């Protein structure tokens, strides 16, 4: 049996009193050993900030294991389109087929004007060796690949902007059945 | 010298939307999509653990009145009480258990409790319009609320949104995440709403419309609507998280 999916619709502009009533952007406490900060902005095709967006992350733990109780976060964008997470750097992920994924986060971005979320990945600029061998990154052209790399901006801090459209448009993914 | 590597497959979003349930990112009649829609082809991800896993939320994430939007204040909200219930299923028809559902909506007058909403309709001091619950072992969920009103928006001249409730659902995997809107049967605004119409397949649009559910009504108290949600599924057997 295969049931047809329920279509996606935009979150619209009025979600934060429901989706963001509980803080969820600090996966670990700031200052905790191993804590990193990820800061960025969600930008539209004119380079303008998206002030009514929401970013969700999903990541492995520091040892590279996915654990349903750790690794999810959510942050609304502010008036300047900015979002920020405090988390740990995920470890490299060993796949069942023996391949190894470089440390990365999955991101879903929602906003008014996005009828379905965009799915992307954040890799770390200081993991050049792991990135070069990553089974996803190495299958993306060099210029586009750069849009997925967060740059170290200060010790323990990374910068990652998501450009929905136009110059420097971020690479967005889809999966076989999700319709993303 | 590195060996040649096969690039990830490109997917044309507009072409995909002609056969997929979801709307295309660029749906120009909905003006907000014009500057926020990706224009490059999407890249098809291989199914890795990153796509096949996802967060789980404990029942402690749900407060006593989170599922009943009519009990969240001292007084009762104005409007028509409704019971909204249904099941969350995967693409194989299996129940999705312990799925977190978050909802939000306008009040009976068509006004959101949100600082950006300037619609000159009254706020209701007894209605916030936000709820949460977890699905049970059968994938079932149930909310009690107030039927939301239609409201104007500035997309085009005399634009009105049909009455709807926003639903956000977590499936078993992060890539099963769904945010949608539940509409009410027979709404005369459907033909004029570019968000509803962004879904190209009329049968898929029907799946966003709840059905009147006489069996779930509570006599002398509330009408009821049924809305089942089918998630995409990751195309693979669910991975049990550690």
């Amino acid at each position: 049996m295969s049931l047809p999916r329920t279509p996606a619709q935009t979150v619209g502009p009025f979600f934060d009193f429901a989706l963001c009533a509980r803080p969820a952007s600090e996966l670990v406490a700031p200052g905790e050993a191993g804590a990193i900060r990820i800061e960025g902005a969600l930008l539209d095709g004119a380079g303008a900030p998206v002030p009514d967006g929401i970013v969700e992350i999903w990541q492995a733990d520091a040892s590279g294991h996915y654990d349903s109780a750790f690794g999810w976060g959510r942050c609304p964008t502010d008036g300047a389109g900015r979002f920020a997470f405090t988390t740990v750097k995920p470890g490299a992920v060993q796949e069942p087929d023996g391949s190894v994924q470089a440390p990365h986060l999955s991101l879903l971005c929602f906003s008014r004007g996005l009828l379905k979320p965009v799915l992307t990945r954040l890799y770390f600029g200081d993991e050049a060796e792991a990135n070069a061998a990553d089974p996803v990154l190495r299958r993306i052209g060099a210029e586009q690949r750069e849009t997925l790399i967060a740059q170290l901006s200060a010790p323990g801090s990374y910068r990652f902007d998501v450009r929905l459209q136009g110059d420097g448009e971020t690479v967005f993914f889809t999966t076989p059945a999700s319709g993303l | 010298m590195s060996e040649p590597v096969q690039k990830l497959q490109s997917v044309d979003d507009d072409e995909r939307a002609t056969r997929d349930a979801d709307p295309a990112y660029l749906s120009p009649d909905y003006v907000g999509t014009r500057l926020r829609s990706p224009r490059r082809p999407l890249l098809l991800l291989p199914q890795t653990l990153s796509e096949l896993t996802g967060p789980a939320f404990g029942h402690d994430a749900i407060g006593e009145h989170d599922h009943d939007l009519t009990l969240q204040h001292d007084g009762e909200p104005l409007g028509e009480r409704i019971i909204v219930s249904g099941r969350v299923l995967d693409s194989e028809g299996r129940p999705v258990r312990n799925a977190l559902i978050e909802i939000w909506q306008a009040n009976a007058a068509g006004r959101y409790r949100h600082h950006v909403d300037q619609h000159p309709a009254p706020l209701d001091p007894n209605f916030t319009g936000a709820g949460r619950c977890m699905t049970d072992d059968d994938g079932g969920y149930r909310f009690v609320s107030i039927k939301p009103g239609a409201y104007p928006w500035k997309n085009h001249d005399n634009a009105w949104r049909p009455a709807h409730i926003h639903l956000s659902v977590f499936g078993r995997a992060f890539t099963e995440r769904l945010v949608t809107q539940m509409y009410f049967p027979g709404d005369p605004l459907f033909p004029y709403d570019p968000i509803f119409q962004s879904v190209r397949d009329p049968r898929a649009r029907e799946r966003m419309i709840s059905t009147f559910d006489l069996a779930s009504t509570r006599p002398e108290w509330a009408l009821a609507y049924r809305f089942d949600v089918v998630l995409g599924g990751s195309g693979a057997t669910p991975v049990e998280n550690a």
Side-chain angles (χ1 to χ4, degrees), chain A residues 1-19 22 43-46 49-53 56-58 64-69 71-72 74 93-96 101 104 106-108 110-119 121 135-136 138-145 164-166 168-180, chain B residues 5-8 11 13 16 20-25 27 30 32-40 42-51 53-57 61 66 89-93 102-105 112-114 116-117 128-130 132 166 168 170 174-175 177-181 183 195-196 198-199 204 207-208 228-235 241-242:
Chain A
M1 176 167 77
S2 184
L3 294 178
R5 284 188 303 112
T6 305
Q9 296 271 271
T10 179
V11 290
F14 303 135
F15 53 79
D16 60 4
F17 69 99
L19 297 183
R22 301 161 185 237
L43 303 166
D44 74 10
V50 173
D52 47 8
E56 292 186 353
I57 60 170
W58 174 239
H65 294 106
Y66 281 101
D67 173 351
S68 62
W72 177 81
R74 173 188 277 172
V93 176
Q94 172 111 37
E95 291 291 314
Q101 298 199 75
H104 69 280
S106 297
L107 278 80
L108 286 172
F110 305 80
S111 79
R112 176 184 66 81
L114 276 175
L115 284 159
K116 53 189 175 183
V118 287
L119 172 66
R121 283 184 170 197
V136 169
R138 65 201 294 265
R139 296 178 63 190
I140 301 172
E143 188 185 334
Q144 280 196 285
R145 195 186 305 156
L164 292 173
Q165 185 190 98
E169 183 175 309
T170 301
V171 170
F172 297 113
F173 296 105
T174 186
T175 59
S178 68
L180 287 166
Chain B
V5 175
Q6 191 179 7
K7 294 284 183 276
L8 294 177
V11 176
D13 184 56
R16 181 178 188 136
D20 193 57
D22 285 344
Y25 288 114
S27 297
Y30 174 19
T33 68
R34 294 178 190 173
L35 276 175
R36 293 183 174 185
S37 46
R39 299 301 167 92
R40 286 179 177 259
L42 306 173
L43 299 185
L44 186 64
L45 271 182
Q47 297 282 58
T48 73
L49 290 176
S50 311
E51 286 69 47
T53 57
F57 299 89
D66 282 0
L89 304 169
D90 68 14
S91 58
E92 303 301 313
E102 298 162 288
I103 66 169
W104 67 104
Q105 63 168 91
Y112 283 90
R113 185 171 287 280
H114 190 287
V116 172
D117 187 357
T128 299
R132 300 154 65 89
H166 296 265
S168 159
F170 286 82
F174 191 56
T175 52
R177 195 85 177 74
L178 175 70
V179 173
T180 188
Q181 300 180 24
Y183 298 92
I195 293 179
F196 179 76
S198 68
V199 175
R207 299 200 295 273
M208 300 189 292
D228 291 336
V229 174
V230 180
L231 302 178
S234 52
N241 286 326

Side-chain angles (χ1 to χ4, degrees), chain B:
Chain B
M1 284 279 288
S2 58
E3 61 201 86
V5 175
Q6 191 179 7
K7 294 284 183 276
L8 294 177
Q9 184 185 332
S10 291
V11 176
D12 182 281
D13 184 56
D14 190 71
E15 190 276 327
R16 181 178 188 136
T18 63
R19 55 189 161 80
D20 193 57
D22 285 344
Y25 288 114
L26 178 59
S27 297
D29 290 347
Y30 174 19
V31 173
T33 68
R34 294 178 190 173
L35 276 175
R36 293 183 174 185
S37 46
R39 299 301 167 92
R40 286 179 177 259
L42 306 173
L43 299 185
L44 186 64
L45 271 182
Q47 297 282 58
T48 73
L49 290 176
S50 311
E51 286 69 47
L52 298 172
T53 57
F57 299 89
H59 286 267
D60 55 355
I62 306 297
E64 183 187 359
H65 294 316
D66 282 0
H67 75 287
D68 190 331
L69 285 66
T70 70
L71 292 180
Q72 296 174 350
H73 297 271
D74 288 342
E76 282 219 70
L78 292 172
E80 184 183 328
R81 282 189 210 104
I82 57 171
I83 295 163
V84 175
S85 63
R87 294 173 75 206
V88 179
L89 304 169
D90 68 14
S91 58
E92 303 301 313
R94 297 173 294 200
V96 180
R97 302 181 175 95
N98 297 318
L100 175 65
I101 304 181
E102 298 162 288
I103 66 169
W104 67 104
Q105 63 168 91
N107 67 21
R111 179 85 186 265
Y112 283 90
R113 185 171 287 280
H114 190 287
H115 65 281
V116 172
D117 187 357
Q118 298 298 316
H119 176 34
L123 283 168
D124 184 338
N126 291 314
F127 192 71
T128 299
R132 300 154 65 89
C133 78
M134 307 276 285
T135 58
D136 61 23
D137 281 348
D138 199 33
Y141 72 90
R142 181 175 178 274
F143 287 101
V144 180
S145 190
I146 293 293
K147 192 170 185 187
Y151 59 86
W153 59 315
K154 295 187 171 16
N155 186 72
H156 55 276
D157 185 45
N158 197 20
W160 290 79
R161 292 300 328 279
H164 60 274
I165 297 176
H166 296 265
L167 283 92
S168 159
V169 185
F170 286 82
R172 300 187 189 100
F174 191 56
T175 52
E176 289 182 13
R177 195 85 177 74
L178 175 70
V179 173
T180 188
Q181 300 180 24
M182 182 203 99
Y183 298 92
F184 292 87
D187 196 311
L189 292 168
F190 289 149
Y192 310 103
D193 180 43
I195 293 179
F196 179 76
Q197 295 292 337
S198 68
V199 175
R200 298 182 187 180
D201 178 355
R203 292 166 304 177
R205 292 199 291 270
E206 288 293 320
R207 299 200 295 273
M208 300 189 292
I209 305 172
S210 57
T211 54
F212 177 63
D213 181 8
L214 184 67
S216 296
T217 55
R218 189 167 145 197
E220 315 297 328
W221 194 75
L223 294 180
Y225 294 87
R226 182 169 184 90
F227 188 66
D228 291 336
V229 174
V230 180
L231 302 178
S234 52
T237 307
V239 172
E240 206 57 50
N241 286 326

Side-chain angles (χ1 to χ4, degrees), chain A residues 34-47:
Chain A
I36 62 166
R37 178 98 170 153
I38 292 169
E39 296 178 328
L42 182 61
L43 303 166
D44 74 10

